[in-house]
Amino acid sequence: MSLAQYSSPPTLAEAMQALAGGTGARPLAGGTDLLVQMKLGLRSPAHVVDLKRIPDLMALTLDDNGLRLGAAVPGAVVTANADIARTWPGFTEALGLIGSSQVQGRCSAGGNLCNASPAADSVPALIASRGVCHIAGPGGERTVAAEDFTTGPGTHCLGDGEILVALQLPLPAPRTADAYLRMIPRTEMDIAIVGAGVSITLDESGVCTDARVAIGAVAPTALLVPEAAAALIGSTLDADSLQAAGAAATAAASPISDKRGTAEYRRKVVAVLVRRAAAIAHSRITEST
Amino acid sequence: MSQPRKIHVSTTVNGEPKEFLCEPGQVLSDALRNNLALTGTKEGCTTGDCGACSVLLDGALVCSCLVLAAEAEGRAVQTIEGVAGEGRLHPVQQQLLEHAGLQCGICTPGVVVAAKALLEQNPDPSEEEVRFWLAGNLCRCTGYDKIIVAVLAAAADMRAA
């Protein structure tokens, strides 16, 4: 594999400097996308800037502010954390679905987001659980909602020299649970043809007071679907409300047909997965209270 | 374009300090095999799909074909060469032999490294857990059943030991 320069700066400032100025440098987190793309000749950066020596990108803190997950923390570290899995079972499962055990040793939620595949598994789950992206750049720090980070297949909102430092998941309100489901043509180790992330909040009488529904692999980016959430809010997640939420997801989808599935099939399945993920999130709340 | 400058890497392989010079674009599997003569790690697909190049990097199971060799600086690498004890096979290796869990053997080092990593964090996995854990280790010979049976038998051996 041809590469002129590798560096592993220990600070954000040095990494930003290395990445700025249109020099053809690419950031490296787990490399499970970037190195494959380089080997296949799809990308040929002049300089690979390894971000894993920067403490903020490898830090994981869980406190009253929720989870702050360094953008390069490997999936295996997240899925092995019982507190994270209990608080965000949907996000944890979604991240754990990426690739093999070996890929889990390297892949990261931040990398999954920055690779900007429309089918990225962790992204709908991140959006559903109100994920926020912490970005550092030459102009200072800023935050972007997870649903606004990706701008199209393979593209995102990071400007020149900017780095995705961490993802923040706010602590869920009481009686809140999330769930993620995906459809793949195989039983494992495949790319989603549809993904659905749902977060549900119930009041003490079992009425849904808040909801977030995000869908993946059915549009150029993962989408937050407020219309689907609106169909759930105020309901007890009865069959009619679930049906309406699924229909809203179908209406929001603009999928393509490819070797994994047709557009028609994806539009149909996205409704099914939204219904089922909402039902799973619902049962997670009722079973734990 | 001029030749890229080589990178000096100091690392630990199977507990021993090692140093090598690598190209910026050289991957760890290649450095292990060609710079350090540790040819137990196999190169299969070279794109992270087949698991033949599985090693542990600071304790994490990874495909060494998707790790730049320069990333190993200051880190600990464990390869198939470090699995067996003095004159004694690891239970996973022994049970792969007993159950004929290998034929051509190309996938075997990766299977052993991955299965050992599983059993160290989950001493009593279900068959399903073993199958999911090893889903990234492709074998074109055995049909997998013999590998799965061997890993479950090794788990039982290790629990009894």
Side-chain angles (χ1 to χ4, degrees):
Chain A
M1 193 165 59
S2 152
L3 174 66
Q5 191 184 354
Y6 165 88
S7 66
S8 52
T11 66
L12 264 177
E14 289 164 272
M16 282 181 225
Q17 197 173 14
L19 290 165
T23 56
R26 291 286 298 185
L28 171 69
T32 53
D33 289 306
L34 177 63
L35 296 181
V36 176
Q37 291 159 2
M38 287 169 65
K39 288 184 174 207
L40 297 177
L42 302 173
R43 283 190 196 282
S44 41
H47 181 184
V48 164
V49 183
D50 185 357
L51 303 179
K52 295 189 294 298
R53 309 271 175 181
I54 303 169
D56 279 356
L57 274 96
M58 298 303 286
L60 184 163
T61 52
L62 184 55
D63 57 24
D64 291 347
N65 296 319
L67 173 67
R68 187 182 164 106
L69 178 62
V73 173
V77 172
V78 177
T79 57
N81 185 309
D83 292 328
I84 297 175
R86 194 167 45 242
T87 313
W88 296 278
F91 173 70
T92 309
E93 286 171 7
L95 187 56
L97 282 169
I98 300 169
S100 60
S101 316
Q102 286 84 349
V103 169
Q104 284 288 314
R106 297 268 288 173
C107 74
S108 59
N112 202 214
L113 191 55
C114 288
N115 187 54
S117 161
D121 278 309
S122 70
V123 178
L126 179 73
I127 293 171
S129 284
R130 302 167 177 81
V132 172
C133 309
H134 290 276
I135 297 166
E141 294 180 16
R142 64 185 177 115
T143 56
V144 170
E147 59 268 30
D148 297 327
F149 186 86
T150 311
T151 52
T155 60
H156 50 60
C157 70
L158 292 183
D160 185 47
E162 281 194 319
I163 293 171
L164 176 64
V165 178
L167 305 171
Q168 184 95 32
L169 291 180
L171 269 193
R175 290 177 300 282
T176 297
D178 69 343
Y180 175 77
L181 290 175
R182 70 170 183 182
M183 173 70 199
I184 55 174
R186 306 174 69 223
T187 57
E188 56 198 289
M189 297 267 289
D190 201 357
I191 296 167
I193 57 171
V194 177
V198 177
S199 174
I200 300 287
T201 304
L202 301 180
D203 69 12
E204 284 169 6
S205 64
V207 173
C208 175
T209 57
D210 203 356
R212 301 260 292 180
V213 175
I215 55 179
V218 291
T221 68
L223 294 179
L224 181 67
V225 189
E227 300 80 5
L232 300 174
I233 294 169
S235 82
T236 55
L237 271 63
D238 54 284
D240 286 349
S241 307
L242 293 175
Q243 201 71 33
T250 296
S254 55
I256 57 166
S257 293
D258 66 11
K259 63 185 175 186
R260 290 194 171 78
T262 62
E264 185 188 6
Y265 181 67
R266 289 167 193 249
R267 270 194 291 268
K268 195 163 185 170
V269 171
V270 75
V272 176
L273 293 194
V274 165
R275 290 203 303 268
R276 289 182 187 170
I280 291 170
H282 183 255
S283 66
R284 283 176 171 158
I285 303 169
T286 55
E287 281 163 18
S288 69
T289 50
Chain B
M1 196 173 75
S2 61
Q3 280 291 100
R5 273 181 61 180
K6 291 210 174 194
I7 300 171
H8 179 261
V9 177
S10 299
T11 186
T12 306
V13 181
N14 300 324
E16 284 180 32
K18 296 277 184 191
E19 301 195 18
F20 58 85
L21 284 177
C22 68
E23 306 278 348
Q26 196 176 350
V27 291
L28 181 60
S29 51
D30 187 67
L32 289 170
R33 292 176 55 83
N34 294 316
N35 299 46
L36 299 176
L38 293 169
T39 54
T41 298
K42 302 305 178 194
E43 286 182 319
C45 68
T46 75
T47 49
D49 297 303
C50 80
C53 65
S54 297
V55 302
L56 301 187
L57 183 64
D58 278 353
L61 180 67
V62 301
C63 285
S64 57
C65 75
L66 290 189
V67 176
L68 291 174
E71 291 186 62
E73 171 67 34
R75 304 198 190 276
V77 183
Q78 287 169 271
T79 71
I80 183 65
E81 284 86 354
V83 169
E86 281 291 325
R88 181 175 45 84
L89 293 178
H90 185 275
V92 170
Q93 294 172 309
Q94 189 62 44
Q95 289 293 359
L96 281 168
L97 279 181
E98 306 281 343
H99 289 89
L102 65 156
Q103 287 177 33
C104 86
I106 288 285
C107 74
T108 310
V111 169
V112 171
V113 168
K116 176 173 178 281
L118 169 66
L119 300 184
E120 283 167 3
Q121 61 176 255
N122 181 359
D124 192 10
S126 65
E127 179 186 329
E128 188 182 7
E129 285 171 329
V130 176
R131 285 187 185 275
F132 267 90
W133 182 266
L134 294 179
N137 290 90
L138 303 186
C139 171
R140 305 289 78 172
C141 302
T142 62
Y144 299 105
D145 275 341
K146 294 170 174 183
I147 294 175
I148 304 302
V149 171
V151 173
L152 290 167
D157 286 351
M158 290 167 70
R159 290 195 305 275

